[in-house]
Amino acid sequence: MKQSLCIVSLSLLMAMAANAQAITTDSTVAARDSAVYKEMELDNVDVKARRKLIKTGIDRISYDVEHDKDAKTKNTLEILKKVPLVAVSGMDNILVRGGENFKVYKNGHLEPAFSGANLSLTLKSIPATAFKRIEVITTPGAKEDAEGSGIILNLVTADKSFFDGCVGNVEPTLASYGSYSGSGYVLTQKGKWTTSLNAGMSHSSSSLSKSKRRVETSFLDSHEKLVEEGHFEEPKTGIYASMAGSYDINQRNLLTYSIAGNYNTGGHTGTTDFSRYNAAGDLAYKYRAVQDKPESNNYDVSARLDYQHKTKREGESVTLSYMWVDKEDKNNMVAAFEDMASIPVPYTGYETNGTTHFAEHTVQVDYVRPLGKMFGLDMGLKYISRKNKNDNAMRYMNYAEGNTLEKFHYNQQVAAAYSQFTYRGEKWQGMAGLRYEHAYMKNKYPAGDLPDFHKRLNDWAPVASIRYLLNDAASLKLSYEARISRPGMYYLNPAVVSTPTTLSYGNPHLSSTKFHRMQLELWKYGEKLTLNLTPFYFCSNNGWGNAMFVEGGKKVFTFDQGVHSKYGGLSSYVEYIPAEKTRISFNTTLYDGKEESKSIGLSEHCQWGIANVGLSQMLPWKINMDVGGYFRFGHHLNSVYGYSTHPYTYDINLERAFLKDDRLVVSVYMQNPIGARYTKTDHHIVQGNYTEFSRLHTTEKVFAIRVAFRFGNLRTYVKRVEKSIENSDLSNGGEQKDKKL
C-alpha cells in the first residue's frame, strides 16, 4: 500500500508539474478581460482568467468569502463546505483534511466560542458575509503552540468599517423527531466602537438521539463469552452566547475584546442486557442495567483582551494579549440492576458522580518586524497557568463498604518563546522558525491515597517551509514541522470506575510526546479546474495510547506510554466548474498507518480513506440545490488492538431566496432521505487478552426546514489585531461531538 501511494503520488506530481510549467498566458485574452480579472499577488497565487476564490500562501490556503456571490444567502457553516480540504459530514460534523483533530481560530487566535459541542451551531448562526475569508493553515509557524493539532481553520473578518448602524439576522430551524434550533446575530457600530453579538440554542430530542448497540467479547484465556445489548436515548439542550468588539484608539492603536459562554445539559436513559457464558456455552450470569443520567451538564466561559500598537515603520507592530477560560463538567450516572441471575458482585447497582473544573490564564506578547520588502521577522513570549480539579464518587447500592471518593488536582505552567524568519520573493518563498517550551506539571492527591509528584519538560519545536511558484497558476511547497502533545485530564485522572464487567482509570504518569510531519503540496489552478495533491508522512516514537487487558475476569481500560506511530498518506482536492451555475468538488484522503507498542508487545497496520463529494447546482425558479456525500472506506486504525469501519451519509439541501437583496432565505434539508433510519459503525478488537466486535446503530435520517431573515446593511465588520492568543496543547479524549440540526 505504501509503495502504491508513493508511485501514484510521484507520478501525479510529475505530470501536474510538467503540465503546469507548459501553461502560457494568452496576452490577447488577458487584455480583453483586464476590466474583470485580477493580477497575481506576490505571496498568494491568483489566476488572471477570473477572480479566483482560492489562494495559497507559504503556510495556508484561503477561500475568498467576500467575493463569493453565494455568501450573501448562506451561513458560515454552509460556505465552509466550499473551502478546500474542509468537509462537512452528516449531522454537521466538520472535518479538515479528513479528520476532526483541528483548531478553530478567529482572526489569527484561538476563539473559545468556536470550541466544544456547539461549534457547528455557532457557525450556523453567523452569516457568511461576516467574514472576509476562511483559511486552512496547513503549516503553522513557530508563533503557534507546538502542542496539539498541526491544522488550523482560521476565520478572518474584514479590516474596515463603513457606516454607523446595525445589521443582523435571525434563523430558526425545525427538524424531524421534534428537534429544533434557533440563533441570532447582530453587528453594530457607533463611531470608533464596533460590536457583534451572537446567541442561540439547540435541542436534540430523545427520538433523534436514539441508538442501539451490541457487543460480543471473547476471552482468550478462559474461553468465556460476554454479550451486551442495549438501547439508549440521549436528549441534549445547549445554549451559547458571545460578544466581540473593537475600539479604534487612533490610527496606530487598536483594542479588541471578546466574551463567550456555553451551557449544555442532557440526559441518558437506556437499558443494557449483560449475559456471560462459560467455556461450555452455559450461562454463567446475567443482569440488566437500567441507566439514567438525572443531572449531567457542562459550561465554559471565556474572555480575551488584545492591544495592538503599530509603529512608524510600515508593517511593524507589537501586540499584548490576555485570555481567561473557565470550564466545569458534571456527569452523574445511575445504573440499577434488574433480572439478575448469579451476578458475581455484592451490589445491585451503582451511581457515579463526577465533577471536573478547569481554569486557565494566558498572557502573550508578539512582535512583527519587516526587514526590507521581501524579509520579515516574528518574535514572541507566552505564559500559561492552568489549574484542574476532579472529584469522582462511586456509590454502590446495598454495598456501602465499596463506596469510594477520589480527588485529583492537576496544575500546569507553560512558558514559551519563539522566533520566525520569512522570505517572499517573486518565485521563491520560505519560512523557518524555532519554538522553545518549558512545562512544569504537578499532580496532587488531597485525600493522601497516592503520593504527590511533579515533573519538568523542555521541548524544542522547529518548523520550516519552502515554496516555489511554477507559474501564475501553479505552486509547489515542501514543509516540515515538529509538534508535541500533552495528555489532558481524561488521560491523567486516576479515579477508578468499577462495574461487574469493566474497570477503568487514567494514568497520571503519562508525559508529553513529540511527533514529526512532512508534506509536499502541489496546487494547480485553471478557469474551470482546480487541483491539489499532497502526499504526507508523520511519525511519533513515544506516544501514549490505550492499554486494554483482562484482570479478575473484567475488561480493564487505561493508558500507556511508548506507542510508536507511523502514518503515510495522500490528500487531494478537486474543484470542477463545468458551467456558470454548476460546481463539483472532491475532498479525499488516503491513509496507510501502523502503531506499535513494545511494552504491550502488539502492533496493528491498516489502510483506509475518507472522501467527501459535493455538487452545487442552480435550478429553475432560482432554487439552489446542494448535494453532498460523505464516505469512509477501509479499516480505520484505532489502536494497536484493532480498527473500525464506518457508514456513508448523503444530504440534499434546496434553497430559495426572497425579498429585496435576498433578505429572506428558506431551505429544506434532507439527510439520508432514502433507506433505513439507522446507520451502523463497527468496532473490532482483534488482538490482546480478548477479541471483540461491537456494532453501534445511530439515527442519521433527518429532515429540517430553515428560515433565515437578514436585516440592516451588511458592510460593517469587527476589526481585529494581527496577533493574539491561542492555546491548543491539551489532548482531551472521550469527547463526543453532539448532533446538530
Side-chain angles (χ1 to χ4, degrees):
M1 180 67 176
K2 288 184 177 179
Q3 292 180 347
S4 300
L5 285 175
C6 292
I7 293 173
V8 172
S9 301
L10 291 174
S11 300
L12 288 173
L13 282 170
M14 293 172 63
M16 292 174 65
N19 186 32
Q21 290 279 25
I23 295 177
T24 58
T25 304
D26 190 328
S27 58
T28 304
V29 174
R32 181 188 64 193
D33 295 339
S34 61
V36 180
Y37 305 162
K38 289 198 68 177
E39 299 290 326
M40 184 193 76
E41 299 176 359
L42 285 179
D43 61 337
N44 288 306
V45 173
D46 206 346
V47 179
K48 292 182 179 181
R50 63 184 175 93
R51 178 188 286 278
K52 286 296 300 181
L53 300 179
I54 300 171
K55 298 181 181 180
T56 61
I58 186 63
D59 60 348
R60 68 195 64 198
I61 302 114
S62 65
Y63 185 82
D64 189 352
V65 179
E66 188 175 34
H67 293 97
D68 184 343
K69 61 182 181 180
D70 293 336
K72 186 169 61 173
T73 61
K74 294 187 179 295
N75 59 49
T76 303
L77 184 68
E78 291 172 326
I79 212 70
L80 202 59
K81 297 178 181 180
K82 304 175 72 172
V83 177
L85 309 183
V86 179
V88 181
S89 68
M91 304 308 290
D92 293 339
N93 287 333
I94 302 171
L95 300 102
V96 180
R97 191 165 270 170
E100 298 180 352
N101 186 22
F102 61 92
K103 298 169 286 189
V104 182
Y105 284 13
K106 180 181 177 182
N107 297 328
H109 59 75
L110 183 69
E111 178 55 60
F114 292 161
S115 62
N118 290 324
L119 171 60
S120 296
L121 184 62
T122 302
L123 295 179
K124 270 188 174 184
S125 68
I126 304 176
T129 47
F131 298 105
K132 180 178 181 180
R133 65 180 182 273
I134 297 176
E135 301 173 338
V136 180
I137 302 176
T138 57
T139 311
K143 184 252 178 182
E144 315 300 344
D145 279 349
E147 308 92 338
S149 170
I151 299 179
I152 297 170
L153 189 63
N154 185 36
L155 311 178
V156 183
T157 58
D159 299 300
K160 296 182 179 181
S161 303
F162 299 94
F163 80 108
D164 287 353
C166 176
V167 297
N169 77 302
V170 292
E171 184 174 311
T173 301
L174 295 177
S176 51
Y177 307 111
S179 296
Y180 54 86
S181 67
S183 62
Y185 177 84
V186 177
L187 186 62
T188 64
Q189 180 178 350
K190 186 66 177 179
K192 295 184 176 183
W193 286 97
T194 304
T195 303
S196 66
L197 300 171
N198 182 35
M201 67 85 60
S202 68
H203 173 71
S204 179
S205 67
S206 297
S207 297
L208 181 64
S209 62
K210 279 185 177 180
S211 63
K212 49 187 179 180
R213 182 170 179 256
R214 179 178 173 84
V215 183
E216 296 183 4
T217 306
S218 298
F219 298 90
L220 302 184
D221 293 335
S222 65
H223 302 289
E224 294 181 318
K225 183 178 181 180
L226 177 65
V227 178
E228 308 169 34
E229 192 159 6
H231 302 263
F232 313 98
E233 295 180 1
E234 296 185 77
K236 296 180 177 67
T237 300
I239 58 174
Y240 66 92
S242 65
M243 178 173 67
S246 66
Y247 176 69
D248 282 307
I249 301 173
N250 53 44
Q251 192 173 10
R252 293 180 180 171
N253 296 278
L254 177 65
L255 186 69
T256 66
Y257 69 91
S258 71
I259 303 171
N262 292 276
Y263 178 79
N264 299 279
T265 183
H268 174 101
T269 59
T271 61
T272 302
D273 290 301
F274 295 85
S275 301
R276 186 155 184 156
Y277 301 89
N278 59 27
D282 300 323
L283 181 66
Y285 69 82
K286 70 171 184 175
Y287 70 97
R288 174 176 297 156
V290 181
Q291 301 161 330
D292 183 30
K293 276 189 177 182
E295 181 185 356
S296 294
N297 58 73
N298 63 79
Y299 76 82
D300 66 82
V301 292
S302 62
R304 197 191 71 249
L305 184 67
D306 301 296
Y307 167 71
Q308 183 185 71
H309 171 71
K310 295 183 178 180
T311 68
K312 294 182 179 180
R313 183 187 300 271
E314 184 178 356
E316 184 179 44
S317 67
V318 178
T319 303
L320 303 176
S321 304
Y322 168 76
M323 184 171 69
W324 165 75
V325 178
D326 189 270
K327 302 179 181 180
E328 186 171 274
D329 190 355
K330 291 184 178 181
N331 274 294
N332 301 330
M333 168 69 80
V334 177
F337 300 162
E338 297 179 352
D339 192 22
M340 296 178 290
S342 304
I343 187 169
V345 294
Y347 50 88
T348 59
Y350 61 88
E351 179 180 353
T352 64
N353 292 276
T355 300
T356 300
H357 185 262
F358 172 89
E360 178 182 83
H361 298 270
T362 305
V363 292
Q364 181 171 327
V365 56
D366 297 288
Y367 173 68
V368 179
R369 169 72 183 269
L371 302 174
K373 294 183 178 180
M374 295 185 294
F375 298 93
L377 178 66
D378 290 45
M379 303 175 66
L381 301 170
K382 184 175 184 177
Y383 173 76
I384 308 172
S385 174
R386 297 188 177 106
K387 292 185 177 181
N388 304 266
K389 296 181 179 180
N390 176 265
D391 296 339
N392 192 80
M394 285 286 300
R395 185 180 69 84
Y396 295 95
M397 300 176 186
N398 300 314
Y399 186 63
E401 53 266 40
N403 296 347
T404 61
L405 175 61
E406 300 182 64
K407 295 178 180 290
F408 175 55
H409 294 180
Y410 172 60
N411 298 332
Q412 184 185 94
Q413 299 179 65
V414 180
Y418 74 89
S419 179
Q420 180 172 291
F421 180 79
T422 56
Y423 167 77
R424 288 183 172 87
E426 291 187 4
K427 285 287 186 180
W428 290 94
Q429 300 173 3
M431 175 184 70
L434 183 64
R435 186 180 184 90
Y436 167 74
E437 294 194 356
H438 172 78
Y440 173 77
M441 299 180 290
K442 184 176 182 180
N443 293 359
K444 297 180 63 177
Y445 305 92
D449 48 343
L450 291 173
D452 299 346
F453 72 93
H454 67 273
K455 65 177 68 175
R456 295 181 182 273
L457 301 172
N458 295 282
D459 292 289
W460 295 89
V463 59
S465 180
I466 185 169
R467 180 168 175 260
Y468 177 67
L469 304 184
L470 299 170
N471 52 44
D472 289 0
S475 66
L476 189 65
K477 186 183 80 171
L478 176 66
S479 62
Y480 162 80
E481 60 179 323
R483 306 195 65 79
I484 62 176
S485 182
R486 300 188 184 101
M489 284 286 287
Y490 174 77
Y491 297 95
L492 297 171
N493 188 2
V496 177
V497 177
S498 178
T499 74
T501 59
T502 63
L503 190 70
S504 62
Y505 51 87
N507 183 353
H509 298 283
L510 295 177
S511 183
S512 63
T513 181
K514 179 178 287 187
F515 56 93
H516 307 267
R517 181 183 180 99
M518 293 185 65
Q519 60 186 23
L520 181 66
E521 296 182 39
L522 177 64
W523 284 89
K524 182 178 180 294
Y525 307 90
E527 193 167 350
K528 293 182 177 293
L529 186 66
T530 297
L531 301 173
N532 163 251
L533 186 67
T534 304
F536 61 86
Y537 175 79
F538 63 92
C539 62
S540 172
N541 292 324
N542 192 34
W544 22 265
N546 295 329
M548 303 187 298
F549 51 93
V550 178
E551 186 177 274
K554 294 183 178 183
K555 295 184 292 184
V556 180
F557 303 93
T558 185
F559 305 98
D560 191 25
Q561 194 96 30
V563 177
H564 296 252
S565 304
K566 296 179 181 180
Y567 290 83
L570 179 66
S571 176
S572 63
Y573 171 79
V574 179
E575 180 192 58
Y576 179 53
I577 305 176
E580 182 181 359
K581 297 182 179 181
T582 305
R583 175 184 174 272
I584 303 171
S585 66
F586 300 88
N587 261 308
T588 59
T589 305
L590 303 176
Y591 292 93
D592 185 299
K594 180 180 180 180
E595 290 195 358
E596 180 180 6
S597 174
K598 293 185 177 180
S599 62
I600 299 175
L602 296 175
S603 66
E604 182 68 9
H605 182 199
C606 294
Q607 295 88 28
W608 69 99
I610 300 173
N612 184 267
V613 182
L615 167 66
S616 181
Q617 177 67 54
M618 181 61 70
L619 302 176
W621 304 293
K622 298 182 179 180
I623 297 176
N624 186 66
M625 179 183 68
D626 291 305
V627 179
Y630 175 71
F631 309 89
R632 290 188 180 187
F633 48 91
H635 292 171
H636 186 282
L637 180 61
N638 293 333
S639 68
V640 296
Y641 296 98
Y643 60 89
S644 60
T645 59
H646 299 264
Y648 70 88
T649 60
Y650 67 97
D651 55 72
I652 303 171
N653 188 73
L654 299 175
E655 181 179 277
R656 175 70 155 83
F658 301 90
L659 304 182
K660 182 180 179 181
D661 297 327
D662 296 333
R663 291 180 177 269
L664 178 66
V665 177
V666 179
S667 61
V668 177
Y669 173 82
M670 296 166 283
Q671 179 175 287
N672 290 3
I674 301 174
R677 171 177 175 174
Y678 295 99
T679 60
K680 60 184 180 181
T681 300
D682 295 340
H683 294 270
H684 302 259
I685 296 176
V686 296
Q687 54 189 358
N689 295 130
Y690 62 90
T691 61
E692 185 173 276
F693 171 76
S694 66
R695 173 164 289 176
L696 176 65
H697 296 261
T698 56
T699 302
E700 299 290 349
K701 184 188 289 289
V702 178
F703 298 88
I705 298 176
R706 178 179 67 94
V707 178
F709 178 72
R710 188 181 75 245
F711 56 88
N713 190 316
L714 288 176
R715 298 182 62 202
T716 184
Y717 302 89
V718 175
K719 287 196 171 183
R720 58 186 174 89
V721 298
E722 296 172 356
K723 297 285 181 179
S724 189
I725 289 174
E726 64 88 8
N727 292 339
S728 53
D729 50 307
L730 295 181
S731 294
N732 290 303
E735 295 180 356
Q736 298 293 329
K737 288 186 176 291
D738 292 339
K739 295 179 178 180
K740 299 294 182 294
L741 304 182

